[in-house]
Coordinates of all heavy atoms in Angstrom, one line a residue:
S1412 N -6.4 -30.5 -32.3 CA -6.5 -31.6 -31.4 C -6.3 -31.2 -29.9 O -7.0 -31.5 -29.0 CB -5.6 -32.8 -31.7 OG -5.9 -33.3 -33.0
F1413 N -5.2 -30.4 -29.8 CA -4.9 -29.9 -28.6 C -6.0 -29.0 -27.9 O -6.4 -29.1 -26.7 CB -3.5 -29.1 -28.6 CG -3.0 -28.6 -27.1 CD1 -2.3 -29.6 -26.4 CD2 -3.0 -27.3 -26.8 CE1 -1.9 -29.3 -25.1 CE2 -2.5 -27.0 -25.6 CZ -2.0 -27.9 -24.8
I1414 N -6.5 -28.1 -28.8 CA -7.5 -27.2 -28.5 C -8.8 -28.0 -28.0 O -9.4 -27.7 -26.9 CB -7.8 -26.2 -29.5 CG1 -6.7 -25.2 -29.7 CG2 -9.2 -25.5 -29.3 CD1 -6.8 -24.3 -30.9
G1415 N -9.1 -29.0 -28.7 CA -10.3 -29.8 -28.5 C -10.1 -30.6 -27.1 O -11.2 -30.7 -26.4
I1416 N -8.9 -31.1 -27.0 CA -8.7 -31.9 -25.6 C -8.9 -30.9 -24.5 O -9.4 -31.3 -23.4 CB -7.4 -32.7 -25.7 CG1 -7.5 -33.8 -26.7 CG2 -7.0 -33.2 -24.3 CD1 -6.2 -34.3 -27.1
V1417 N -8.2 -29.8 -24.6 CA -8.2 -28.8 -23.4 C -9.7 -28.5 -23.1 O -10.1 -28.5 -21.9 CB -7.4 -27.6 -23.6 CG1 -7.7 -26.5 -22.7 CG2 -5.9 -28.0 -23.7
T1418 N -10.5 -28.1 -24.2 CA -11.8 -27.7 -24.0 C -12.7 -28.9 -23.5 O -13.6 -28.7 -22.7 CB -12.4 -27.1 -25.4 OG1 -11.6 -26.2 -25.8 CG2 -13.9 -26.7 -25.2
F1419 N -12.5 -30.1 -24.0 CA -13.2 -31.3 -23.4 C -12.9 -31.3 -21.9 O -13.9 -31.6 -21.2 CB -12.6 -32.6 -24.1 CG -13.2 -33.8 -23.6 CD1 -14.4 -34.3 -24.1 CD2 -12.6 -34.4 -22.4 CE1 -14.9 -35.5 -23.6 CE2 -13.2 -35.6 -21.9 CZ -14.3 -36.2 -22.6
L1420 N -11.7 -31.3 -21.4 CA -11.4 -31.4 -20.0 C -12.1 -30.3 -19.2 O -12.7 -30.6 -18.1 CB -9.8 -31.4 -19.8 CG -9.2 -32.6 -20.4 CD1 -7.7 -32.5 -20.3 CD2 -9.6 -33.8 -19.7
F1421 N -11.9 -29.0 -19.7 CA -12.6 -27.9 -19.0 C -14.1 -28.0 -18.9 O -14.7 -27.7 -17.9 CB -12.2 -26.6 -19.6 CG -11.0 -26.0 -19.2 CD1 -9.7 -26.4 -19.6 CD2 -10.9 -25.0 -18.1 CE1 -8.5 -25.8 -19.1 CE2 -9.9 -24.4 -17.6 CZ -8.6 -24.8 -18.1
S1422 N -14.7 -28.5 -20.1 CA -16.1 -28.6 -20.1 C -16.7 -29.7 -19.1 O -17.7 -29.5 -18.5 CB -16.6 -28.9 -21.4 OG -16.2 -27.9 -22.3
A1423 N -16.0 -30.9 -19.1 CA -16.4 -32.0 -18.4 C -16.2 -31.5 -16.8 O -17.1 -31.8 -16.1 CB -15.6 -33.2 -18.6
A1424 N -15.2 -30.8 -16.5 CA -15.0 -30.4 -15.2 C -16.0 -29.4 -14.8 O -16.5 -29.3 -13.7 CB -13.5 -29.7 -15.0
G1425 N -16.3 -28.5 -15.7 CA -17.4 -27.5 -15.6 C -18.7 -28.1 -15.1 O -19.3 -27.5 -14.3
V1426 N -19.1 -29.0 -15.8 CA -20.3 -29.7 -15.4 C -20.4 -30.2 -14.1 O -21.3 -30.0 -13.2 CB -20.7 -30.9 -16.4 CG1 -21.9 -31.6 -15.9 CG2 -21.0 -30.4 -17.9
K1427 N -19.3 -30.9 -13.6 CA -19.2 -31.4 -12.2 C -19.2 -30.2 -11.2 O -19.8 -30.3 -10.3 CB -17.9 -32.3 -12.1 CG -17.8 -33.0 -10.9 CD -19.0 -33.9 -10.7 CE -18.8 -34.7 -9.3 NZ -20.0 -35.4 -9.0
I1428 N -18.3 -29.3 -11.5 CA -18.3 -28.0 -10.6 C -19.6 -27.3 -10.5 O -20.1 -27.0 -9.3 CB -17.2 -27.1 -11.1 CG1 -15.8 -27.6 -10.9 CG2 -17.3 -25.7 -10.3 CD1 -14.7 -27.0 -11.7
G1429 N -20.3 -27.1 -11.6 CA -21.6 -26.5 -11.5 C -22.7 -27.4 -10.7 O -23.4 -26.9 -10.0
N1430 N -22.5 -28.6 -10.9 CA -23.4 -29.6 -10.2 C -23.2 -29.5 -8.7 O -24.1 -29.6 -7.9 CB -23.3 -30.9 -10.7 CG -24.3 -31.9 -10.2 OD1 -24.0 -32.9 -9.4 ND2 -25.6 -31.7 -10.6
V1431 N -22.0 -29.4 -8.3 CA -21.7 -29.5 -6.8 C -22.2 -28.2 -6.2 O -22.8 -28.3 -5.2 CB -20.2 -29.6 -6.6 CG1 -19.7 -29.4 -5.1 CG2 -19.7 -31.0 -7.0
F1432 N -22.0 -27.1 -6.8 CA -22.4 -25.9 -6.3 C -24.0 -25.7 -6.5 O -24.6 -24.8 -5.7 CB -21.6 -24.7 -6.9 CG -20.3 -24.7 -6.4 CD1 -19.2 -25.0 -7.2 CD2 -19.9 -24.4 -4.9 CE1 -17.9 -25.1 -6.7 CE2 -18.6 -24.4 -4.5 CZ -17.6 -24.8 -5.4
G1433 N -24.5 -26.3 -7.5 CA -25.9 -26.0 -7.8 C -26.9 -26.8 -7.0 O -28.1 -26.7 -7.1
A1434 N -26.5 -28.0 -6.5 CA -27.3 -29.0 -5.9 C -28.3 -28.3 -4.8 O -29.5 -28.7 -4.7 CB -26.6 -30.1 -5.3
R1435 N -27.7 -27.4 -4.0 CA -28.6 -26.9 -2.9 C -29.5 -25.7 -3.3 O -30.5 -25.5 -2.7 CB -27.6 -26.3 -2.0 CG -26.9 -27.5 -1.2 CD -26.0 -26.8 -0.1 NE -24.9 -27.7 0.1 CZ -23.7 -27.5 -0.1 NH1 -23.2 -26.4 -0.7 NH2 -22.8 -28.4 0.1
Y1436 N -29.1 -25.1 -4.4 CA -29.8 -23.9 -4.8 C -30.2 -23.9 -6.3 O -30.0 -23.0 -7.1 CB -29.1 -22.7 -4.5 CG -28.5 -22.5 -3.1 CD1 -27.2 -22.8 -2.9 CD2 -29.3 -22.1 -2.1 CE1 -26.7 -22.8 -1.5 CE2 -28.9 -22.0 -0.8 CZ -27.5 -22.5 -0.6 OH -27.1 -22.4 0.7
K1437 N -30.8 -25.0 -6.8 CA -31.0 -25.3 -8.1 C -31.6 -24.2 -8.9 O -31.2 -23.7 -9.9 CB -31.8 -26.7 -8.4 CG -31.9 -27.0 -9.8 CD -32.8 -28.1 -10.0 CE -32.9 -28.5 -11.5 NZ -33.3 -27.4 -12.4
A1438 N -32.9 -23.7 -8.4 CA -33.6 -22.7 -9.3 C -32.8 -21.4 -9.4 O -32.7 -20.8 -10.4 CB -35.0 -22.4 -8.7
K1439 N -32.2 -21.0 -8.2 CA -31.5 -19.7 -8.2 C -30.3 -19.8 -9.0 O -29.9 -18.9 -9.7 CB -31.2 -19.4 -6.7 CG -32.3 -18.9 -5.8 CD -31.9 -18.6 -4.5 CE -33.2 -18.3 -3.6 NZ -32.8 -18.0 -2.2
A1440 N -29.6 -20.9 -8.8 CA -28.5 -21.2 -9.6 C -28.7 -21.2 -11.1 O -27.9 -20.7 -11.9 CB -27.8 -22.6 -9.2
E1441 N -29.8 -21.8 -11.5 CA -30.2 -21.8 -13.1 C -30.5 -20.4 -13.6 O -30.0 -20.1 -14.5 CB -31.4 -22.8 -13.2 CG -31.3 -23.5 -14.4 CD -32.4 -24.5 -14.7 OE1 -32.6 -25.3 -13.8 OE2 -33.1 -24.5 -15.7
V1442 N -31.2 -19.6 -12.7 CA -31.3 -18.2 -13.1 C -30.1 -17.5 -13.2 O -29.7 -16.8 -14.2 CB -32.3 -17.6 -12.1 CG1 -32.2 -15.9 -12.3 CG2 -33.7 -18.1 -12.1
F1443 N -29.1 -17.8 -12.3 CA -27.9 -17.2 -12.2 C -27.0 -17.5 -13.5 O -26.4 -16.7 -14.1 CB -27.0 -17.4 -11.0 CG -25.8 -17.0 -10.8 CD1 -25.6 -15.5 -10.7 CD2 -24.6 -17.6 -10.8 CE1 -24.3 -15.0 -10.5 CE2 -23.4 -17.0 -10.7 CZ -23.2 -15.6 -10.6
G1444 N -27.1 -18.9 -13.7 CA -26.4 -19.4 -15.0 C -26.9 -18.8 -16.2 O -26.1 -18.5 -17.1
G1445 N -28.2 -18.6 -16.4 CA -28.8 -18.0 -17.5 C -28.3 -16.6 -17.6 O -28.0 -16.1 -18.7
L1446 N -28.3 -15.8 -16.5 CA -28.0 -14.5 -16.5 C -26.4 -14.3 -16.9 O -26.1 -13.5 -17.6 CB -28.1 -13.8 -15.2 CG -29.6 -13.6 -14.7 CD1 -29.7 -13.1 -13.4 CD2 -30.2 -12.7 -15.8
I1447 N -25.6 -15.3 -16.5 CA -24.2 -15.4 -16.9 C -24.1 -15.5 -18.2 O -23.2 -14.7 -19.0 CB -23.4 -16.4 -16.2 CG1 -23.3 -16.2 -14.7 CG2 -22.1 -16.7 -16.9 CD1 -22.7 -17.4 -14.0
L1448 N -24.9 -16.3 -19.0 CA -24.9 -16.6 -20.5 C -25.1 -15.3 -21.1 O -24.6 -14.8 -22.1 CB -25.7 -17.6 -20.9 CG -25.3 -19.0 -20.6 CD1 -26.2 -20.1 -21.0 CD2 -23.9 -19.3 -20.9
I1449 N -26.4 -14.5 -20.7 CA -26.8 -13.3 -21.2 C -25.6 -12.3 -21.1 O -25.3 -11.5 -22.1 CB -28.1 -12.8 -20.5 CG1 -29.2 -13.8 -20.9 CG2 -28.4 -11.4 -20.9 CD1 -30.5 -13.6 -20.1
F1450 N -25.1 -12.2 -19.9 CA -24.0 -11.1 -19.8 C -22.8 -11.6 -20.6 O -22.1 -10.6 -21.0 CB -23.6 -11.0 -18.3 CG -24.7 -10.3 -17.5 CD1 -25.4 -10.8 -16.5 CD2 -25.2 -9.0 -18.0 CE1 -26.4 -10.1 -15.8 CE2 -26.2 -8.3 -17.3 CZ -26.8 -8.9 -16.2
M1451 N -22.5 -12.8 -20.8 CA -21.4 -13.1 -21.7 C -21.6 -12.7 -23.0 O -20.7 -12.2 -23.7 CB -21.1 -14.6 -21.6 CG -20.4 -15.3 -20.4 SD -20.3 -17.0 -20.4 CE -19.8 -17.5 -22.0

């Protein structure tokens, strides 16, 4: 339950953080995000 709650909070915050930084550079940011996943 603790693990799930922590991940819930981090994930919800991550969507908002990504959106704030990605609004101006959507296509480049999406490519960058995809590359991050590949590198992960």
